[in-house]
Coordinates of all heavy atoms in Angstrom, one line a residue:
S167 N 1.7 8.4 -0.2 CA 1.2 7.0 -0.4 C 0.1 6.9 -1.4 O -0.6 7.8 -1.6 CB 0.7 6.4 1.0 OG 1.8 6.3 1.9
S168 N 0.1 5.7 -2.0 CA -1.0 5.4 -3.1 C -1.9 4.3 -2.7 O -2.9 4.1 -3.4 CB -0.3 5.1 -4.4 OG 0.6 4.0 -4.3
Q169 N -1.5 3.5 -1.7 CA -2.3 2.3 -1.3 C -2.3 2.2 0.2 O -1.3 2.7 0.8 CB -1.8 1.0 -2.0 CG -1.9 1.0 -3.5 CD -1.3 -0.3 -4.1 OE1 -0.2 -0.7 -3.7 NE2 -2.1 -0.9 -5.0
V170 N -3.3 1.5 0.7 CA -3.2 1.0 2.1 C -2.5 -0.3 2.1 O -3.0 -1.3 1.7 CB -4.6 0.9 2.8 CG1 -4.4 0.5 4.2 CG2 -5.3 2.2 2.7
G171 N -1.2 -0.3 2.6 CA -0.4 -1.5 2.4 C 0.1 -1.7 1.0 O 0.1 -0.8 0.2
C172 N 0.6 -2.9 0.7 CA 1.1 -3.2 -0.6 C 1.1 -4.7 -0.8 O 1.3 -5.5 0.1 CB 2.5 -2.7 -0.7 SG 3.2 -2.8 -2.4
A173 N 0.8 -5.1 -2.1 CA 0.7 -6.5 -2.4 C 2.0 -7.1 -3.0 O 2.0 -8.3 -3.3 CB -0.5 -6.7 -3.4
L174 N 3.0 -6.3 -3.2 CA 4.1 -6.7 -4.0 C 5.1 -7.5 -3.1 O 6.0 -8.2 -3.7 CB 4.8 -5.6 -4.7 CG 4.0 -4.9 -5.8 CD1 4.8 -3.9 -6.6 CD2 3.3 -5.9 -6.7
D175 N 5.1 -7.4 -1.8 CA 5.9 -8.2 -0.9 C 7.4 -8.1 -1.1 O 8.1 -9.1 -1.0 CB 5.4 -9.7 -1.0 CG 5.8 -10.5 0.2 OD1 5.9 -9.9 1.3 OD2 5.9 -11.7 0.1
C176 N 7.9 -6.9 -1.3 CA 9.4 -6.8 -1.4 C 9.9 -7.1 0.0 O 9.4 -6.7 1.0 CB 9.7 -5.3 -1.8 SG 9.2 -4.9 -3.4
S177 N 11.0 -7.9 0.0 CA 11.4 -8.6 1.3 C 12.0 -7.6 2.3 O 12.0 -7.9 3.5 CB 12.4 -9.7 0.9 OG 13.6 -9.1 0.4
F178 N 12.4 -6.4 1.9 CA 13.1 -5.5 2.8 C 12.1 -4.3 3.2 O 12.6 -3.3 3.8 CB 14.3 -4.9 2.1 CG 14.0 -4.3 0.8 CD1 13.6 -3.0 0.7 CD2 14.2 -5.1 -0.4 CE1 13.3 -2.5 -0.6 CE2 13.9 -4.5 -1.6 CZ 13.5 -3.2 -1.7
C179 N 10.9 -4.4 2.8 CA 9.9 -3.3 3.0 C 9.0 -3.5 4.1 O 8.3 -4.5 4.2 CB 9.2 -3.1 1.7 SG 8.0 -1.7 1.7
A180 N 8.9 -2.5 5.0 CA 8.0 -2.5 6.2 C 6.5 -2.5 5.7 O 5.7 -3.2 6.4 CB 8.3 -1.4 7.1
T181 N 6.2 -1.8 4.7 CA 4.8 -1.7 4.2 C 4.4 -3.1 3.8 O 3.2 -3.5 4.0 CB 4.7 -0.7 3.1 OG1 5.1 0.5 3.5 CG2 3.3 -0.7 2.6
A182 N 5.3 -3.9 3.1 CA 4.9 -5.2 2.6 C 4.4 -6.1 3.7 O 3.6 -7.0 3.5 CB 6.1 -5.8 1.9
R183 N 4.9 -5.9 5.0 CA 4.6 -6.8 6.1 C 3.1 -6.6 6.5 O 2.6 -7.4 7.2 CB 5.5 -6.5 7.3 CG 7.0 -6.6 7.0 CD 7.4 -8.0 6.5 NE 8.8 -8.0 6.0 CZ 9.8 -8.1 6.8 NH1 9.6 -8.2 8.2 NH2 11.0 -8.1 6.4
Q184 N 2.5 -5.5 6.1 CA 1.1 -5.2 6.5 C 0.1 -5.9 5.5 O -1.1 -5.9 5.7 CB 0.9 -3.7 6.5 CG 1.8 -3.0 7.5 CD 1.6 -1.5 7.4 OE1 0.5 -1.0 7.2 NE2 2.7 -0.8 7.6
G185 N 0.6 -6.4 4.4 CA -0.3 -6.9 3.3 C -1.0 -5.8 2.6 O -0.6 -4.6 2.8
F186 N -1.9 -6.1 1.8 CA -2.6 -5.1 1.0 C -4.1 -5.0 1.5 O -4.8 -6.1 1.6 CB -2.6 -5.5 -0.5 CG -3.5 -4.6 -1.4 CD1 -3.1 -3.3 -1.7 CD2 -4.7 -5.1 -1.9 CE1 -3.8 -2.5 -2.5 CE2 -5.4 -4.3 -2.7 CZ -5.0 -3.0 -3.0
N187 N -4.6 -3.8 1.7 CA -5.9 -3.6 2.1 C -6.8 -3.0 0.9 O -7.7 -3.6 0.5 CB -6.0 -2.6 3.3 CG -7.4 -2.5 3.9 OD1 -8.3 -2.0 3.2 ND2 -7.5 -3.1 5.1
R188 N -6.4 -1.9 0.4 CA -7.1 -1.3 -0.8 C -6.3 -0.2 -1.4 O -5.3 0.3 -0.9 CB -8.5 -0.8 -0.4 CG -8.5 0.5 0.5 CD -9.9 1.0 0.7 NE -9.9 2.2 1.6 CZ -9.8 3.4 1.2 NH1 -9.4 3.7 -0.1 NH2 -9.9 4.4 2.0
N189 N -6.7 0.2 -2.6 CA -6.2 1.4 -3.3 C -6.8 2.7 -2.7 O -7.9 2.7 -2.2 CB -6.6 1.4 -4.8 CG -5.8 0.4 -5.6 OD1 -4.7 0.1 -5.3 ND2 -6.5 -0.2 -6.6
L190 N -6.0 3.7 -2.7 CA -6.5 5.0 -2.4 C -7.3 5.6 -3.5 O -7.0 5.4 -4.7 CB -5.4 6.0 -2.0 CG -4.5 5.6 -0.8 CD1 -3.6 6.7 -0.4 CD2 -5.3 5.1 0.4
T191 N -8.2 6.5 -3.2 CA -8.9 7.3 -4.3 C -8.0 8.4 -4.7 O -7.0 8.8 -3.9 CB -10.2 7.8 -3.8 OG1 -10.0 8.8 -2.7 CG2 -11.1 6.7 -3.3
T192 N -8.3 9.1 -5.8 CA -7.6 10.3 -6.1 C -7.6 11.3 -5.0 O -6.6 11.9 -4.7 CB -8.2 10.9 -7.4 OG1 -8.0 10.0 -8.5 CG2 -7.5 12.2 -7.8
G193 N -8.7 11.5 -4.4 CA -8.9 12.5 -3.3 C -8.1 12.2 -2.1 O -7.6 13.1 -1.4
E194 N -7.9 10.9 -1.9 CA -7.1 10.5 -0.7 C -5.6 10.7 -1.0 O -4.8 10.9 -0.1 CB -7.4 9.0 -0.3 CG -8.8 8.9 0.3 CD -9.2 7.4 0.4 OE1 -8.7 6.6 -0.4 OE2 -10.1 7.1 1.2
I195 N -5.2 10.6 -2.2 CA -3.8 10.8 -2.6 C -3.5 12.3 -2.5 O -2.6 12.8 -1.8 CB -3.5 10.3 -4.0 CG1 -3.6 8.8 -4.1 CG2 -2.1 10.8 -4.5 CD1 -3.5 8.2 -5.5
V196 N -4.4 13.1 -3.2 CA -4.2 14.6 -3.1 C -4.4 15.1 -1.7 O -3.8 16.1 -1.3 CB -5.2 15.2 -4.2 CG1 -5.2 16.8 -4.1 CG2 -4.9 14.8 -5.6

């Protein structure tokens, strides 16, 4: 994952239903 939630709102995506919270840092990705 690269973000907490997602802002793009693709209609078939479970993540999109959570909305967008924030970006992850590099350290949180790695």
Side-chain angles (χ1 to χ4, degrees):
S167 293
S168 57
Q169 297 179 311
V170 181
C172 185
L174 297 191
D175 201 24
C176 295
S177 63
F178 53 86
C179 178
T181 301
R183 307 297 172 82
Q184 301 174 37
F186 174 72
N187 189 291
R188 69 172 177 85
N189 286 327
L190 300 189
T191 65
T192 296
E194 289 168 337
I195 295 172
V196 174

